[in-house]
Amino acid sequence: MTQTTKPLLITGVSSGLGRAFATPVLDAGHTVVRTGRTVRNDADAFTALHPERSDARGTR
């Protein structure tokens, strides 16, 4: 069976349920597109989830 990676939109990745959903999704190799209310804090938190696979460029 071939595993396919998927892009997923997850809101509020800096904390709470958004972060709880994003962590295993990134660990499984999928791409996460993030949104959040506070750009700098959310971008930093998103990058910290998976530094080698997350990219918060253009959000600061």
Side-chain angles (χ1 to χ4, degrees), residues 14 34 37-47 56 59-60:
S14 62
R34 64 155 198 91
R37 288 180 283 186
T38 54
V39 175
R40 168 156 253 133
N41 291 343
D42 286 352
D44 292 343
F46 177 67
T47 301
T59 60
R60 297 177 185 206

Side-chain angles (χ1 to χ4, degrees), residues 1-23:
M1 180 186 294
T2 302
Q3 182 176 354
T4 305
T5 60
K6 299 178 182 182
L8 296 141
L9 172 66
I10 300 177
T11 61
V13 298
S14 62
S15 65
L17 287 175
R19 187 179 190 93
F21 288 135
T23 301

